[in-house]
């Protein structure tokens, strides 16, 4: 019976009941069973249930159970409410204090400290998908089955108990996917990631003596300053100090030193003396920018990357071929890539983009050699064309590549 189960639980933990308080209604079988354990019996007055402390505990448990059902998933089958009672008793005893030792909870006094890491808990009645092991499912069956979380698995490490509606029984599983309807699954936000990253950077910079690979160069300082500016913790840059400028005017005309022995130049009244500018002419004069600059790579020449395609080397022959009219139909094995005339590129990125565009294969429609009509796959695979075997093999190879296989 329920009383016998409760009594065995207490005695197994070293607690032997000495007094049992009951209502006024008591059967003879129950009286004999309690007296057989050397436990005193005390009944409350008739029609006065508030004298029994168990009545207040029963009311607390009913309210707690109803609150658990209210937070369950709306699609949880209420006829299975009794499967949520074990977790309700467990969590209620964890929150209530023990009467013998108020510093401990009721659960800790009987069973010790509850280990949430070894026995995870979740809101009762949460919808889950329980993972099925390969030995329990077929080759093409889904890897999970729908279920409901009903409580922890106390005798298993990091496992939970789920109710499976398809079987109508409970199952202990270790891998599930949660689908809560109200409470979201905790997840780290962007602010949490940024705070953790900044904390790691600060710890690394403070202990850089232990990391010889970390060099505090100008690039590292610039990155640290950018992070500090994002966090609004950077000190302002020092303003440059303006140098004092000279107030002595520069003479507009430079007077040559006088020399009495030097012959005087011939006088020319009509010629104007040459004016010397205030500032001397610059030593290096900027050269005009070339319209077609030659791009020199910063690193050594890359092999087979910056080389021009053959179409750019044979510009004249390619232009003559492009000017010739093409036939109305061309067999697939005779299709060639249509080259473009030579182009000039100002940057390496334009050259690489041009090479990538030139490597794209182009394929047009297939026409009948006699009638000139456009052919379909069905007509190409017909024996009347004489090339059914070729097109059948080509289609098989294409389907094989699409299915990640090998064509025949």
């Amino acid at each position: 019976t329920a009383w016998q189960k409760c009594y065995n639980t207490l005695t197994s933990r070293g607690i032997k009941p000495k007094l049992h308080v009951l209502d006024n209604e008591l059967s003879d079988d129950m009286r004999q069973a309690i007296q057989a354990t050397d436990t005193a019996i005390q009944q409350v007055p008739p029609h006065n249930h508030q004298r029994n402390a168990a009545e207040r505990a029963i009311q607390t448990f009913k309210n707690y159970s109803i609150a658990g059902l209210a937070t369950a998933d709306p699609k949880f089958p209420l006829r299975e409410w009794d499967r949520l009672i074990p977790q309700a008793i467990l969590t209620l005893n964890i929150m209530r204090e023990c009467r013998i030792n108020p510093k401990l909870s009721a659960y800790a006094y009987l069973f010790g400290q509850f280990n949430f890491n070894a026995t995870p808990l979740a809101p009762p009645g949460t919808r889950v998908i329980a993972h099925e092991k390969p030995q329990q499912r077929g080759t093409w069956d889904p890897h999970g089955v729908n279920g409901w979380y009903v409580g922890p698995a106390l005798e298993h490490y990091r496992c939970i108990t789920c109710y499976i509606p398809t079987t109508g029984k409970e199952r202990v599983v270790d891998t599930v996917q949660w689908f809560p309807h109200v409470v979201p699954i905790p997840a780290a936000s962007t602010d949490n990631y940024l705070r953790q990253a900044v904390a790691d950077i600060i710890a690394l910079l403070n202990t850089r003596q232990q990391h010889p690979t970390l060099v505090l160069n100008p690039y590292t300082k610039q990155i640290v300053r950018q992070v500090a500016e994002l966090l609004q913790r950077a000190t302002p840059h020092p303003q440059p100090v303006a140098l004092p400028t000279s107030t002595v005017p520069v003479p507009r005309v430079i007077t040559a030193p006088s020399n009495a022995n030097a012959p005087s130049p011939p006088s020319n009244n009509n010629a104007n003396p040459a004016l010397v500018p205030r500032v001397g002419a610059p030593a290096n004069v900027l050269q005009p920018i070339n319209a077609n600059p030659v791009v020199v790579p910063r690193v050594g020449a890359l092999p087979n990357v910056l080389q021009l395609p053959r179409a750019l080397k044979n510009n004249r022959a390619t232009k003559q071929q492009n000017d010739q009219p093409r036939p109305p139909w061309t067999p697939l094995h005779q299709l060639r890539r249509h080259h473009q005339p030579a182009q000039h590129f100002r940057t390496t990125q334009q050259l690489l983009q041009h090479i990538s565009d030139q490597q794209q294969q182009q394929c047009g429609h297939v026409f009948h050699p006699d009638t000139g009509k456009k052919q379909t796959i069905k007509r190409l695979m017909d024996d009347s064309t004489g090339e059914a075997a070729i097109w059948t093999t080509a289609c098989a190879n294409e389907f094989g590549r699409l299915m990640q296989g090998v064509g025949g």
Side-chain angles (χ1 to χ4, degrees):
T1 61
W3 174 85
Q4 188 67 36
K5 183 178 180 180
C6 181
Y7 182 82
N8 295 337
T9 302
L10 294 176
T11 54
S12 63
R13 297 298 173 179
I15 300 176
K16 186 178 183 305
K18 297 180 180 179
L19 178 64
H20 199 99
V21 181
L22 299 172
D23 293 338
N24 190 32
E25 300 176 356
L26 181 63
S27 63
D28 296 337
D29 297 337
M30 187 66 183
R31 186 186 301 274
Q32 295 177 2
I34 296 175
Q35 292 176 354
T37 58
D38 297 334
T39 303
I41 298 177
Q42 185 181 39
Q43 293 180 286
V44 299
H47 309 290
N48 191 2
H49 298 283
Q50 61 184 1
R51 291 281 300 272
N52 191 354
E55 294 294 338
R56 187 65 184 87
I58 293 173
Q59 181 181 358
T60 302
F61 176 77
K62 288 173 62 177
N63 296 337
Y64 186 75
S65 300
I66 294 173
L69 288 175
T71 58
D73 193 279
K75 297 182 180 180
F76 177 77
L78 292 180
R79 64 177 181 276
E80 307 295 339
W81 65 270
D82 57 316
R83 301 182 185 274
L84 307 179
I85 292 179
Q87 177 167 335
I89 297 175
L90 171 66
T91 54
L92 185 60
N93 288 330
I94 290 176
M95 293 185 294
R96 295 187 63 187
E97 65 179 16
C98 179
R99 291 189 175 185
I100 301 175
N101 187 0
K103 294 183 179 181
L104 298 176
S105 64
Y107 182 88
Y109 185 81
L110 292 177
F111 306 99
Q113 192 68 24
F114 185 79
N115 190 355
F116 289 91
N117 186 26
T119 310
L121 298 176
T126 304
R127 178 176 171 267
V128 298
I129 293 182
H131 178 259
E132 288 190 333
K133 305 302 179 183
Q135 298 81 3
Q136 299 177 346
R137 54 179 170 84
T139 304
W140 297 97
D141 291 345
H143 293 187
V145 60
N146 293 325
W148 304 95
Y149 169 82
V150 295
L154 299 178
E155 297 181 355
H156 297 77
Y157 180 74
R158 297 190 65 83
C159 295
I160 62 174
T161 305
C162 297
Y163 169 72
I164 308 301
T166 55
T167 60
K169 297 182 180 180
E170 296 181 358
R171 182 185 301 181
V172 177
V173 295
D174 60 345
T175 305
V176 295
Q177 181 67 35
W178 303 93
F179 294 94
H181 72 289
V182 175
V183 181
I185 298 177
S189 61
T190 305
D191 296 339
N192 296 337
Y193 284 119
L194 292 177
R195 293 178 184 274
Q196 184 64 33
V198 171
D200 295 341
I201 292 174
I202 295 175
L204 184 62
L205 293 176
N206 292 334
T207 59
R208 62 177 179 270
Q209 292 80 6
Q210 303 178 3
H211 303 276
T213 57
L214 180 62
V215 180
L216 194 60
N217 50 22
Y219 178 75
T220 306
K221 294 181 179 179
Q222 181 182 1
I223 296 300
V224 174
R225 173 165 290 278
Q226 291 179 2
V227 174
E229 290 176 355
L230 291 176
L231 299 177
Q232 298 180 357
R233 297 179 59 181
T235 57
H237 286 280
Q239 298 295 334
V241 179
L243 298 177
T245 58
S246 177
T247 58
V248 178
V250 179
R252 185 161 188 157
V253 179
I254 298 177
T255 305
S258 61
N259 190 357
N261 299 326
S264 59
S267 61
N268 187 5
N269 297 328
N270 298 329
N272 296 328
L275 299 179
V276 180
R278 283 189 173 186
V279 182
N284 299 327
V285 180
L286 298 179
Q287 299 297 331
I289 301 176
N290 188 9
N292 298 323
V294 179
V295 179
V296 180
R298 300 178 63 181
V299 193
L302 301 178
N304 299 329
V305 175
L306 299 180
Q307 298 180 3
L308 296 178
R310 294 183 179 178
L312 301 181
K313 297 180 180 180
N314 303 328
N315 297 330
R316 185 175 303 173
T318 304
K319 186 175 181 180
Q320 294 177 0
Q321 293 179 2
N322 295 335
D323 295 338
Q324 296 179 2
R326 300 186 63 180
W329 64 272
T330 304
L332 183 61
H333 63 277
Q334 296 181 3
L335 286 177
R336 297 184 57 187
R337 187 170 54 200
H338 189 67
H339 300 292
Q340 298 294 336
Q343 300 180 9
H344 298 282
F345 307 97
R346 297 181 62 85
T347 61
T348 308
Q349 290 77 5
Q350 296 179 1
L351 176 61
L352 296 178
Q353 182 65 28
H354 178 75
I355 295 174
S356 177
D357 296 341
Q358 290 292 330
Q359 293 179 355
Q360 296 180 0
Q361 298 182 359
Q362 301 178 1
C363 180
H365 297 287
V366 180
F367 298 87
H368 196 275
D370 298 332
T371 62
K373 294 183 179 180
K374 185 168 60 176
Q375 300 296 305
T376 61
I377 297 297
K378 183 177 180 181
R379 293 183 179 179
L380 290 173
M381 298 180 64
D382 191 3
D383 293 338
S384 60
T385 59
E387 297 181 354
I390 298 176
W391 288 105
T392 302
T393 304
C395 290
N397 292 336
E398 187 64 23
F399 292 145
R401 295 188 191 95
L402 292 176
M403 299 301 292
Q404 298 180 358
V406 181

